[in-house]
Amino acid sequence: MLELFVAMKHIRTRKRQTALAMGAVGLAVAIIIVFRAVMNGSIEIFFDLIFELAPHALVLPKEGEEYIYLYKTLIEFIWTIPGVAAVSPTLSTTATLSFEDEVENVELTGGIPSEMNKVMSLDKYMIVGDFYAISSGRRVILGEGVMEKLDVKIGEDVVANFPDAKTMNLVVAGVFRTGIEEWDQGAYVSLETTQEFLGEGDVINYINIHLDDPYQGDAVAEEISARGYDADSWRTLFPEFEETLAFETFSNNLILALVLLIASFGIANVMNMLVLEKTREIGMLMAMGADGPSIRKVFVIESGILGLAGGTAGSLFGYIVSTYLHSLQYTITAPTAPQPIVIKFLVDPFDLIAFPLLALILSMIAGVYPAHKASKLDPVIALRG
Amino acid sequence: MSNIIEIKKLRKVYGDGVELVALDDVDLTIEEGEVLAIVGPSGSGKSTLLNMIGLLDTPSGGEIWLKGQNITKASPKERARLRNKELGFIFQYHHLLPEFTAVENVMMPLLIAGMDKKEARHRAITLLEEVGLGDRLNNRPNQLSGGQNQRVAVARALAGHPSIVIGDEPTGNLDSKSSDMIYELLRKLNREMNQTFILVTHDMDMAEKTDRILRLVDGRIVCEMRREGDEFVSRDICRAD
């Protein structure tokens, strides 16, 4: 094809201009790839944290009931659903904890320690003591916030009471810190302890479920709902996670699109200069019988090639940089986070193809105006230069 | 011989406010196989006339017929097609594409016509050999002398077997030796292929080697001389200017 032949010749012989145009687009695409890789990485870190600590699905009592009474049958059923990784029957209530002169209202959560740990990974967040200590006796694990407010030490007794509840002494067996303030205001005991505290018998008020794939939460919740229980997935429980994320992703992508747009202006500029520089030759091509559409095609194809080549090089470069940065295992520490966070650079293979293609399209659009200008040249004037 | 070009009352007026008449009711008939020189002072309308015949410019009035077809109001697409098929151009500056080699430059009109690359290359090589540049096929214009580049331009103008070759000061930039060589080349091709040559020139030596000389002054043909043997004979009364 004539147009491709001419366009390729320009690209090959005008090395500096080609490098400039490709460099602008390539750099933009590389930045986008790396930026999105770190975005994907932090989303994964964020969701890992959420999925570690939050229920994937939560079962509440039937409508009009305060507790789940026949919870053992229900748990048996839940275990039959494929993909279920942990089922934690829980009885939680508000309790007033007091130590000497200090008093604090907390959410007192009772569960089976091994299952409870599977759905909340609390043992990972223990600062002092062992999470499994609550398995026997009247022991309690306190969030760091509660601990500080009550000004209590390990091994000391706190008093738990509440209207209609049995007053009991609990030995402080450990402290945890998740970094999430709300959770660090909680206290954990065994299921038997809360059952005794409330005096309602062998009942629970919710079941916290973890799944192999958290994204199956909706399906699992639906199956349990069919049995008359009020079951929800993390999606419905915490819609703000995905909303926040969607907004973040949108605003980031907007910035990235602008980066690419600016780069394609670089191509428009190079093409514009090319058309000015090539006026006589365009006139000669017209004299030889090349018509307007054909001239236009030369320049649109040329900007397209520059965009695609630059975009592909940038994509490759971005991938290499991301992979390298990922391999560094660079860590950051947040003041509230219990453990340093390893920054991840996760490249989505889709990006590696999509952004060079986007660069191609934007560059072709950028080339349209200079190409149109070239095609509209009057051959007589063009030949004069 | 049949008429390849017929021009009737051709006018070209430039400018919006102050009008400049570049061509003033020109009537002209050109026969197939003729070698015609158009001479005249600068600004006399020579190049304008040539651009009209070359379908690069459109007239303000009158008609142009090419091979019996009225092409005065042909669409840009049709004019481009005719330029490619019927016309070859040689300019004062060779206007070769600087990135392309000699052979690629000569291939260009053929590629525009849609010819297969291999076939076009073959034809281009033949032509370059004919103009004596068989050993310069892969040189770019900046690696060739002015005369050599102009020979490449001649080969390019002839590549598509045009029926008319238009030369706007084709030797204007060359020394006399190169000029003679280019002219001899054109003349040879004219004899071999019966192509029509229309040349605008300042060079009276060259003009006097053609078949017919037209003198243009102020957009009008003021003198027409035809060769008869070794002599030029005025058809009309030629005004002295």
Side-chain angles (χ1 to χ4, degrees):
Chain A
M1 188 166 66
L2 169 84
E3 291 86 0
L4 184 66
F5 181 52
V6 176
M8 281 310 292
K9 205 63 156 190
H10 286 164
I11 289 172
R12 273 201 234 110
T13 50
R14 294 161 46 90
K15 293 201 170 66
R16 195 194 306 212
Q17 301 285 357
T18 299
L20 206 66
M22 276 179 62
V25 175
L27 206 58
V29 169
I31 289 169
I32 289 168
I33 298 286
V34 176
F35 197 87
R36 281 179 56 92
V38 77
M39 247 165 68
N40 289 340
S42 46
I43 288 170
E44 192 175 288
I45 291 167
F46 176 68
F47 269 101
D48 279 352
L49 195 70
I50 298 295
F51 289 144
E52 194 173 81
L53 300 173
H56 301 172
L58 193 72
V59 188
L60 297 170
K62 291 181 177 175
E63 191 153 353
E65 293 182 351
E66 205 177 335
Y67 300 106
I68 302 172
Y69 295 98
L70 301 173
Y71 74 88
K72 292 196 169 144
T73 325
L74 180 56
I75 285 172
E76 248 173 67
F77 165 70
I78 293 169
W79 276 117
T80 65
I81 301 171
V84 171
V87 180
S88 175
T90 312
L91 183 61
S92 119
T93 175
T94 311
T96 306
L97 297 187
S98 51
F99 179 72
E100 293 172 352
D101 294 339
E102 305 293 334
V103 178
E104 182 71 8
N105 274 349
V106 302
E107 186 72 15
L108 187 67
T109 305
I112 302 161
S114 58
E115 290 300 308
M116 198 153 56
N117 192 44
K118 276 187 214 158
V119 297
M120 287 189 283
S121 307
L122 275 177
D123 70 337
K124 257 173 80 174
Y125 297 96
M126 295 301 292
I127 313 172
V128 189
D130 175 16
F131 178 72
Y132 290 100
I134 61 170
S135 302
S136 60
R138 288 184 180 170
R139 292 173 206 268
V140 66
I141 301 289
L142 297 178
E144 194 187 29
V146 184
M147 181 86 170
E148 278 167 5
K149 276 184 186 145
L150 292 177
D151 199 16
V152 68
K153 290 187 185 66
I154 301 288
E156 291 178 318
D157 277 15
V158 291
V159 181
N161 59 17
F162 208 64
D164 296 333
K166 184 178 158 186
T167 301
M168 48 169 71
N169 282 9
L170 299 168
V171 181
V172 178
V175 190
F176 66 88
R177 179 174 65 199
T178 60
I180 300 165
E181 207 180 323
E182 228 177 287
W183 282 331
D184 290 347
Q185 296 300 324
Y188 291 85
V189 293
S190 69
L191 183 57
E192 293 77 20
T193 307
T194 37
Q195 281 174 347
E196 197 186 334
F197 182 66
L198 283 177
E200 295 284 345
D202 191 2
V203 295
I204 58 167
N205 52 11
Y206 65 84
I207 301 171
N208 184 334
I209 301 169
H210 263 212
L211 304 169
D212 294 331
D213 175 11
Y215 290 93
Q216 293 301 312
D218 285 324
V220 171
E222 208 172 304
E223 245 182 282
I224 299 167
S225 296
R227 298 212 142 198
Y229 292 95
D230 177 9
D232 285 309
S233 76
W234 61 273
R235 279 211 160 104
T236 18
L237 291 169
F238 315 106
E240 59 275 12
F241 288 166
E242 287 191 309
E243 279 164 16
T244 311
L245 209 64
F247 179 74
E248 280 282 309
T249 310
F250 174 76
S251 62
N252 285 338
N253 284 346
L254 197 66
I255 293 168
L256 297 180
L258 290 177
V259 169
L260 199 54
L261 199 65
I262 291 166
S264 57
F265 267 97
I267 289 213
N269 191 32
V270 166
M271 295 313 293
N272 217 17
M273 277 172 56
L274 179 68
V275 169
L276 285 178
E277 215 176 282
K278 295 280 162 202
T279 304
R280 274 173 186 233
E281 286 127 55
I282 293 165
M284 193 59 224
L285 280 169
M286 285 175 160
M288 286 188 279
D291 56 6
S294 185
I295 299 288
R296 187 160 44 224
K297 243 195 255 171
V298 169
F299 293 97
V300 172
I301 287 175
E302 190 166 337
S303 12
I305 292 170
L306 288 172
L308 185 64
T312 308
S315 180
L316 198 69
F317 182 60
Y319 176 73
I320 292 167
V321 170
S322 299
T323 310
Y324 172 70
L325 291 175
H326 188 73
S327 74
L328 288 183
Q329 297 270 311
Y330 186 72
T331 55
I332 52 164
T333 44
T336 51
Q339 294 146 337
I341 297 164
V342 179
I343 302 289
K344 292 179 181 176
F345 292 80
L346 303 174
V347 177
D348 186 347
F350 171 81
D351 288 1
L352 295 178
I353 295 164
F355 284 98
L357 288 180
L358 190 63
L360 165 73
I361 292 165
L362 284 178
S363 304
M364 283 176 84
I365 293 171
V368 165
Y369 173 67
H372 182 72
K373 220 169 63 174
S375 75
K376 288 289 165 213
L377 284 175
D378 179 339
V380 176
I381 295 166
L383 280 166
R384 248 181 259 144
Chain B
M1 276 199 277
S2 60
N3 293 336
I4 193 158
I5 297 270
E6 281 178 59
I7 285 170
K8 297 169 185 169
K9 298 249 173 261
L10 194 70
R11 275 183 80 75
K12 181 69 182 181
V13 183
Y14 288 112
D16 298 324
V18 186
E19 288 195 344
L20 177 77
V21 180
L23 289 176
D24 193 0
D25 291 340
V26 171
D27 287 292
L28 174 65
T29 303
I30 301 168
E31 288 171 357
E32 203 178 336
E34 203 176 356
V35 176
L36 176 77
I38 303 174
V39 298
S42 298
S44 58
K46 306 187 298 285
S47 291
T48 306
L49 179 59
L50 208 61
N51 288 337
M52 297 289 167
I53 297 170
L55 301 180
L56 289 169
D57 207 349
T58 46
S60 312
E63 289 177 0
I64 306 173
W65 293 68
L66 172 69
K67 285 186 165 178
Q69 184 192 352
N70 185 349
I71 47 108
T72 318
K73 292 198 163 68
S75 70
K77 198 178 163 60
E78 173 67 4
R79 290 147 60 83
R81 193 189 67 80
L82 286 171
R83 282 199 297 269
N84 182 248
K85 205 168 149 265
E86 303 290 352
L87 293 152
F89 293 87
I90 308 164
F91 295 98
Q92 179 174 4
Y93 302 99
H94 54 75
H95 287 320
L96 294 174
L97 306 180
E99 297 90 354
F100 294 78
T101 62
V103 71
E104 286 168 338
N105 266 292
V106 178
M107 283 163 73
M108 204 51 73
L110 302 172
L111 295 178
I112 290 171
M115 191 190 272
D116 169 68
K117 232 177 180 174
K118 213 172 140 190
E119 206 181 322
R121 172 172 285 274
H122 185 74
R123 163 114 182 103
I125 292 171
T126 312
L127 276 161
L128 283 169
E129 280 165 354
E130 240 169 281
V131 301
L133 291 171
D135 56 342
R136 296 295 197 155
L137 298 178
N138 295 314
N139 286 74
R140 293 213 195 132
N142 63 3
Q143 297 163 324
L144 297 171
S145 72
Q148 287 172 326
N149 275 328
Q150 203 60 328
R151 272 143 70 195
V152 176
V154 169
R156 176 177 64 181
L158 295 167
H161 294 292
S163 33
I164 305 164
V165 176
I166 283 175
D168 192 352
E169 303 276 6
T171 59
N173 247 5
L174 302 177
D175 56 54
S176 60
K177 196 168 153 247
S178 302
S179 295
D180 288 347
M181 193 170 172
I182 294 285
Y183 184 75
E184 285 315 315
L185 186 64
L186 296 180
R187 196 78 228 201
K188 182 174 147 251
L189 293 163
N190 164 254
R191 277 192 290 267
E192 283 170 7
M193 301 180 200
N194 199 34
Q195 276 160 324
T196 307
F197 284 78
I198 305 168
L199 311 171
V200 159
T201 184
H202 273 109
D203 179 359
M204 284 315 290
D205 284 345
M206 188 166 101
E208 282 170 31
K209 289 175 191 162
T210 62
D211 301 330
R212 180 154 63 131
I213 303 172
L214 293 178
R215 173 173 282 281
L216 240 71
V217 176
D218 293 336
R220 283 178 215 217
I221 298 175
V222 295
C223 183
E224 185 181 339
M225 292 181 286
R226 252 177 218 284
R227 171 184 291 279
E228 277 172 18
D230 285 342
E231 295 279 315
F232 274 96
V233 178
S234 300
R235 277 296 173 89
D236 304 317
I237 301 153
C238 286
R239 248 184 5 202
D241 57 324

